[in-house]
């Protein structure tokens, strides 16, 4: 569910007209709904609390990589949400947004020694260790600081899933996590060190997963490993289940609900007496955001093909070019007339700067505003200044009020970041 609806024929974010936001801020621009973020977190929290007997005082840690805007993070932090982070920068963002260290998980396959040291200083809840060499480096960093951080061993269960091969993370050839057959020995090695405190296991098998079966397979693999570790006298008190549940980009109505997903996790963990961690990103943020763009022109060719040229490009919304992602695109002002096929393209000098082919739309013309729906996750975070285009701004809406929460830089501000060398 989202809070982008038409009022008098014009699309609004909650009570704020998108036409007014575009007029004041310019396009392209991302717009986020506080009500949608709040609703999605509330549904997740309600589902988790209903299974406290199986999941413990479960932590919901928003995957910061999905949307790292400070105001978005602060909105979730005020609701009690934690943060799943994969860099020092993301830890710093979470802290600045008001997420306390004890609700921050530090994941990632390539943590540097400096990042590990910062995580210790920040007092993060746990560090998810992804390899034997990383464990050795963390032990050395922790020893130098006189610390013994709580850690989880991220397991690669050889169950890969996701909406595209490029967002699958749990397969045998994926770079993430410790192979399942090696994880018990690594856990035991960690337990033997005075400089780390192993408390659990973690996994994350992919993103935009549309069925529960692969997720349940991964959770049950963690369950069996937990029992095996306990049989060897090793304590396991937490299981980090990652994220990955898909959202209805195509308007699907048959996707598993948050309640069904959490109930499945509760069944898989029932009787273990562990505390669960969930790391939703897309699930909370995708449908909480849209990308507004204005039509520059319509290029009609003699062969009948029509290119709808937008002022948003692949540098603003990378998902379609990166992994063939689908976004519904709708006119902000309701249009009538016979629908026809358009190729939706941007102004970037790349053949991959295509959002959609043969998308059926009512007649559109230069100057019209369109909205890319479901753009609140992996949108602005992947944006760049390619082709020397200013970075896309972001706006947060709350009821009928709105604020710019990331500004579009001026060209002078862009140039100021690139001082000339002394000899030029």
């Amino acid at each position: 569910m989202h809070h982008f609806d038409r009022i008098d024929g014009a699309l609004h974010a909650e009570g704020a007209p998108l036409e007014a936001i575009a007029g004041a801020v310019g396009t392209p621009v991302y717009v986020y709904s506080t009500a949608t973020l709040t609703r999605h977190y509330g549904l997740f929290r309600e589902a988790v609390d209903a299974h406290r007997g199986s999941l413990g005082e479960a932590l919901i840690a928003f995957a910061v990589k999905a949307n790292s805007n400070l105001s978005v993070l602060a909105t979730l932090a005020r609701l009690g949400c934690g943060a799943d982070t994969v860099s020092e920068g993301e830890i710093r963002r979470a802290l600045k947004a008001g997420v306390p260290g004890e609700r921050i998980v530090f994941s990632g396959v390539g943590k540097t020694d400096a990042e590990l040291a910062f995580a210790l200083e920040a007092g993060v809840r746990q560090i998810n260790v992804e390899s034997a060499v990383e464990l050795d480096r963390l032990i050395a960093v922790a020893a130098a600081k006189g610390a013994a951080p709580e850690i989880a061993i991220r397991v690669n269960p050889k169950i890969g899933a996701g909406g595209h091969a490029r967002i699958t993370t749990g397969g045998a050839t994926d770079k993430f996590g410790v192979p399942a057959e090696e994880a018990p020995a690594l856990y035991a090695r960690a337990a033997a060190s005075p400089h780390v405190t192993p408390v659990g296991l973690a996994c994350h098998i992919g993103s935009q997963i549309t069925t529960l079966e692969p997720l349940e397979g991964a959770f049950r693999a963690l369950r069996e490993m937990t029992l095996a570790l306990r049989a060897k006298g090793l304590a396991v008190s937490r299981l980090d289940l990652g994220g990955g549940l898909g959202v209805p980009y195509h308007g699907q109505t048959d996707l598993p609900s948050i309640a069904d997903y959490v109930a499945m996790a509760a069944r898989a963990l029932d009787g273990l007496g562990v505390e669960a961690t969930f790391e939703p990103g897309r699930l909370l943020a995708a449908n909480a955001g849209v990308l507004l763009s204005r039509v520059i022109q319509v290029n009609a060719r003699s062969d009948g093909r029509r290119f709808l040229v937008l002022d948003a490009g692949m540098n603003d919304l990378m998902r379609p070019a990166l992994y063939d992602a689908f976004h519904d695109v709708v006119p902000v002002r309701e249009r009538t007339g016979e629908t026809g096929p358009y190729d939706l393209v941007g102004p970037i000098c790349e053949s991959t700067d295509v959002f959609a082919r043969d998308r059926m739309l009512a007649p559109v013309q230069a100057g019209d505003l369109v909205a890319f729906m479901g753009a609140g996750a992996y949108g602005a975070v992947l944006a760049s200044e390619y082709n020397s285009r200013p970075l896309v701004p972001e706006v947060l809406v709350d009821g009928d009020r709105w604020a710019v929460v990331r500004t579009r830089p001026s060209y002078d501000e862009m140039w100021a970041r690139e001082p000339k060398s002394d000899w030029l």
Side-chain angles (χ1 to χ4, degrees):
M1 180 182 175
H2 58 72
H3 293 79
F4 296 93
D5 298 300
R6 293 194 185 279
I7 301 175
D8 296 329
L11 199 61
H12 284 57
E14 302 182 29
L18 293 180
E19 288 174 325
I21 293 174
V25 182
T27 54
V29 58
Y30 280 94
V31 181
Y32 308 125
S33 161
T34 296
T36 306
L37 291 167
T38 301
R39 173 176 168 76
H40 289 173
Y41 177 79
L43 289 173
F44 213 120
R45 186 74 256 174
E46 180 181 344
V48 166
D49 288 346
H51 295 281
R52 189 169 289 152
S54 299
L55 302 174
E57 296 294 328
L59 174 69
I60 301 172
F62 176 67
V64 175
K65 61 181 177 289
N67 188 319
S68 62
N69 184 276
L70 287 172
S71 291
V72 168
L73 298 179
T75 297
L76 293 169
R78 290 182 180 184
L79 299 172
C81 192
D84 167 47
T85 63
V86 295
S87 70
E88 178 179 335
E90 287 192 350
I91 297 174
R92 289 182 180 274
R93 278 184 176 271
L95 292 169
K96 188 171 181 62
V99 183
E102 60 265 25
R103 293 210 300 264
I104 296 176
V105 175
F106 188 23
S107 305
V109 71
K111 310 176 191 74
T112 67
D113 287 0
E115 288 180 312
L116 291 170
F118 179 78
L120 298 182
E121 294 164 7
V124 302
R125 170 188 173 90
Q126 93 191 18
I127 297 173
N128 288 348
V129 172
E130 303 219 12
S131 66
V133 67
E134 182 185 305
L135 176 62
D136 291 339
R137 291 194 299 108
L138 176 57
I139 287 173
V141 171
K145 288 186 166 291
E150 295 186 338
I151 69 168
I153 301 298
R154 178 173 174 175
V155 179
N156 183 323
K158 298 182 181 178
I159 301 174
H164 192 280
R166 293 175 186 165
I167 51 176
T168 298
T169 58
T173 61
D174 292 320
K175 68 179 182 179
F176 302 95
V178 178
E181 63 273 16
E182 299 175 17
L186 192 63
Y187 198 99
R189 178 143 67 90
S193 170
H195 303 300
V196 292
T197 307
V199 295
L201 302 168
C203 74
H204 176 69
I205 63 171
S207 190
Q208 190 52 21
I209 301 170
T210 56
T211 62
L212 294 181
E213 286 77 11
L215 291 162
E216 183 169 6
F219 299 168
R220 291 197 176 277
L222 290 186
R223 177 189 181 91
E224 294 307 311
M225 192 172 294
T226 296
L227 294 174
L229 289 170
R230 287 176 174 173
K232 295 179 179 180
L234 298 169
V236 181
S237 58
R238 295 180 195 159
L239 290 182
D240 185 334
L241 305 179
L245 187 63
V247 301
Y249 287 114
H250 296 266
Q252 306 105 305
T253 57
D254 59 345
L255 294 181
S257 68
I258 292 174
D260 288 343
Y261 167 64
V262 173
M264 176 275 291
R267 290 194 300 274
L269 272 56
D270 189 44
L272 284 181
V274 295
E275 188 170 84
T277 298
F278 295 90
E279 297 172 351
R282 185 190 315 271
L283 199 62
L284 300 188
N287 287 326
V290 301
L291 172 63
L292 294 183
S293 180
R294 197 174 294 278
V295 178
I296 296 175
Q297 61 194 35
V298 180
N299 294 349
R301 292 185 176 175
S302 58
D303 62 2
R305 186 164 291 279
R306 291 179 295 178
F307 291 91
L308 191 65
V309 184
L310 303 170
D311 65 359
M314 61 181 282
N315 70 300
D316 304 305
L317 179 61
M318 179 65 78
R319 295 187 69 253
L322 189 60
Y323 34 76
D324 307 311
F326 177 97
H327 286 273
D328 193 15
V329 179
V330 300
V332 171
R333 175 64 61 173
E334 198 166 25
R335 296 300 182 195
T336 59
E338 185 177 353
T339 62
Y342 292 85
D343 289 353
L344 278 58
V345 303
I348 301 299
C349 193
E350 295 282 352
S351 59
T352 53
D353 188 28
V354 177
F355 296 114
R357 296 284 189 190
D358 295 319
R359 187 66 63 85
M360 299 300 290
L361 297 172
V364 290
Q365 59 189 12
D368 284 357
L369 281 172
V370 297
F372 288 81
M373 307 303 291
Y378 304 102
V381 286
L382 287 170
S384 73
E385 292 179 348
Y386 186 47
N387 282 186
S388 290
R389 289 164 48 83
L391 197 62
V392 62
E394 297 169 273
V395 166
L396 181 66
V397 174
D398 184 12
D400 58 2
R401 60 183 178 173
W402 59 271
V404 177
V405 293
R406 182 172 75 178
T407 60
R408 191 191 317 275
S410 68
Y411 289 110
D412 284 342
E413 289 169 333
M414 292 167 65
W415 313 154
R417 300 198 303 266
E418 303 177 31
K420 286 184 179 179
S421 56
D422 294 342
W423 58 86
L424 293 176

